[in-house]
Amino acid sequence: MKRKCILIFMIVLAMGMTACSSESKENAVSVETDSHRKRIRKKPQIQKLNGVLNILIISLIGAFAGHAIYVCLDYRTHPGLYAMQSAPWYTGILYYGIYTIAPLIIAIIIKLILWRKLKQQK
């Protein structure tokens, strides 16, 4: 069961990385060296930070989704363990959601600020 959750998390993480890396090559510059040509990309710092924030946001969402799926499946498999607790079975999901939403909101606010700066530059 835990392997499936880890696999789902890895798939979400890979999808986020591929979504962030599919950028246009308009900033690419060709440089000739001795025997071959190299492509060097010039990328402003704001775009790099934007890509890192994309990966962070998708990773946080994927980690929360994976944890929630794991707890739900674990509750279906072992309902007796959760019946012994005084709190409802979904309390762990709520705490994890609270701890995930704080950095997610901060990352989204920074991303909106960067988006406005990029929009002003163009």
Side-chain angles (χ1 to χ4, degrees), residues 8-23 50-62:
I8 291 171
F9 173 73
M10 295 300 286
I11 290 171
V12 169
L13 186 65
M15 287 172 51
M17 293 175 108
T18 55
C20 294
S21 66
S22 61
E23 299 173 0
N50 191 23
V52 169
L53 286 173
N54 286 339
I55 293 171
L56 177 69
I57 289 170
I58 292 173
S59 298
L60 286 170
I61 292 171

Side-chain angles (χ1 to χ4, degrees), residues 2 10 25 35 76 78 89 91 94 96 104 112 118:
K2 196 170 188 176
M10 295 300 286
K25 294 184 179 181
S35 62
R76 282 188 179 178
H78 306 103
W89 65 271
T91 305
L94 294 176
Y96 200 83
L104 188 64
L112 288 174
L118 284 172

Side-chain angles (χ1 to χ4, degrees), residues 4 6-7 19 29 47 56 59-60 64-65 82 89-90 112 122:
K4 288 182 183 179
I6 292 172
L7 180 65
V29 176
Q47 288 182 348
L56 177 69
S59 298
L60 286 170
F64 175 72
Y82 292 94
W89 65 271
Y90 53 85
L112 288 174
K122 291 182 180 182

Side-chain angles (χ1 to χ4, degrees), residues 1 4-5 68-78 89:
M1 195 63 56
K4 288 182 183 179
C5 292
I69 291 170
Y70 173 74
V71 170
C72 289
L73 293 175
D74 192 42
Y75 174 69
R76 282 188 179 178
T77 308
H78 306 103
W89 65 271

